[in-house]
Amino acid sequence: MKTKRTNSIVAILICLTILFTVSCDMFTNSLLKGAARDMSETMKNASTSELIASGTNPDVIGDPAAAQAAMDALADKDLSEITPEEASNVCSLASSAILPVSNLMEALDKILDSEKNDDNESSDNPDGSQTEKESNDATQIIAEILDSIPDVNTAALEQVLGNENLVKEAEIGDVAMATVSLMASSLSKKDLEAEEQQYTLEKISENLGKFSSEDVKDGITDDTIDDVLKGTAFEDDSAMKTAVKAALTLKDRDDISSLSIGGFNLGELIGVKDEENENSSN
């Protein structure tokens, strides 16, 4: 029997994006001015430091096309020596390019409409299980989000998220959102039916949840990553492996509780929970 996990996953993804949006002040001048500009040529001629710094520019972060141009330009740059602050900037650029806020806000509206329309039907399931309509709605919402993702070059993001030190030290909201974004980008590039997309997202999240901070404190092994992706279409997908590694690395951060808003554990989407608070509530 299906649970309401799918709708929760979608809602958590939206909440995490709103957190990311507020933290980056993306609505300051950006949605109106940034969208009107073609910054591709500017990005091509920019230095590595200028490209990274654009991750703090509202006109870039608020314009998915500009953010994508920055990610394209960063794709062949060596980011092995960047600082955690600079890593956060790259994460912000990637998240803006892959998961535009406008698309996710539209999905949030659909979630709220679905919840409102299904209140009566849901009451028939006191055990919390999904009705068939709720499951179908959630599957469709996930598919629409993934279908809206542009073909972003994620090479720079993979450099950042593949570096355990940067994942542990960069701003946690930026890293978590970028991890979700890389997972979503990888899913969108596979030719999968909507049901398999949903299954894959849920399976990876479920498998990530099986590992605690104790399991990963000494580093992430290839076998652990393979265990998370076992049974999915991504067992040999390098980008998804990098996203899984980042999600596992986040489990070892002391500030994991900062991913919680209003009772929602935003890390649930990538199998990351505040174990200390969770244990204290039991």
Side-chain angles (χ1 to χ4, degrees):
M1 180 176 291
K2 293 182 179 179
T3 67
K4 299 189 77 170
R5 181 178 181 79
T6 305
N7 263 357
S8 297
I9 284 176
V10 178
I12 289 168
L13 188 151
I14 302 294
C15 289
L16 187 55
T17 302
I18 293 172
L19 172 67
F20 167 77
T21 301
V22 172
S23 68
C24 291
D25 195 22
M26 287 172 60
F27 289 117
T28 306
N29 299 323
S30 59
L31 294 181
L32 293 177
K33 295 188 345 187
R37 298 175 180 172
D38 180 1
M39 302 183 73
S40 296
E41 289 303 317
T42 300
M43 295 300 180
K44 287 179 183 178
N45 296 322
S47 67
T48 301
S49 60
E50 289 171 334
L51 290 168
I52 293 173
S54 70
T56 64
N57 184 342
D59 286 338
V60 177
I61 295 299
D63 181 353
Q68 184 172 355
M71 291 302 296
D72 287 341
L74 280 169
D76 61 354
K77 307 297 186 184
D78 179 8
L79 305 182
S80 60
E81 300 297 325
I82 65 174
T83 66
E85 182 179 359
E86 290 173 326
S88 293
N89 293 349
V90 175
C91 287
S92 296
L93 286 169
S95 298
S96 176
I98 295 169
L99 292 173
V101 172
S102 58
N103 293 356
L104 292 168
M105 294 300 288
E106 183 179 342
L108 177 59
D109 287 339
K110 291 180 179 179
I111 292 170
L112 296 176
D113 288 342
S114 176
E115 292 289 342
K116 181 178 179 180
N117 294 335
D118 290 340
D119 275 347
N120 292 333
E121 188 176 356
S122 298
S123 64
D124 294 334
N125 292 336
D127 62 351
S129 62
Q130 279 185 317
T131 65
E132 181 177 356
K133 184 177 185 303
E134 285 175 325
S135 179
N136 291 339
D137 286 348
T139 301
Q140 184 59 34
I141 290 169
I142 289 173
E144 289 177 3
I145 290 174
L146 295 176
D147 286 345
S148 71
I149 293 175
D151 186 11
V152 177
N153 190 322
T154 59
L157 179 60
E158 291 175 53
Q159 281 194 67
V160 170
L161 295 185
N163 185 320
E164 290 185 38
N165 290 330
L166 291 177
V167 172
K168 288 179 179 180
E169 296 175 17
E171 203 286 318
I172 192 167
D174 292 336
V175 175
M177 186 60 207
T179 301
V180 171
S181 298
L182 185 55
M183 287 184 178
S185 177
S186 297
L187 273 167
S188 72
K189 292 175 181 178
K190 284 277 189 185
D191 186 17
L192 302 177
E193 297 294 330
E195 290 77 10
E196 190 171 359
Q197 290 175 336
Q198 173 186 326
Y199 166 81
T200 300
L201 187 58
E202 291 183 334
K203 186 66 174 177
I204 292 174
S205 179
E206 177 185 343
N207 287 345
L208 283 167
K210 296 176 181 177
F211 295 91
S212 68
S213 58
E214 187 69 21
D215 295 324
V216 301
K217 68 177 183 179
D218 294 325
I220 314 299
T221 67
D222 290 341
D223 287 343
T224 301
I225 296 171
D226 291 342
D227 285 343
V228 172
L229 295 175
K230 186 179 297 182
T232 74
F234 294 87
E235 293 182 10
D236 298 316
D237 188 287
S238 61
M240 187 65 84
K241 285 186 174 184
T242 299
V244 166
K245 180 180 179 180
L248 290 166
T249 303
L250 283 170
K251 289 174 177 286
D252 198 35
R253 289 191 55 153
D254 294 333
D255 56 352
I256 200 67
S257 61
S258 65
L259 288 178
S260 295
I261 293 181
F264 280 104
N265 190 322
L266 302 179
E268 183 180 333
L269 181 60
I270 49 178
V272 177
K273 296 182 180 179
D274 182 7
E275 296 170 14
E276 182 177 345
N277 288 341
E278 186 178 61
N279 291 335
S280 66
S281 64
N282 291 336

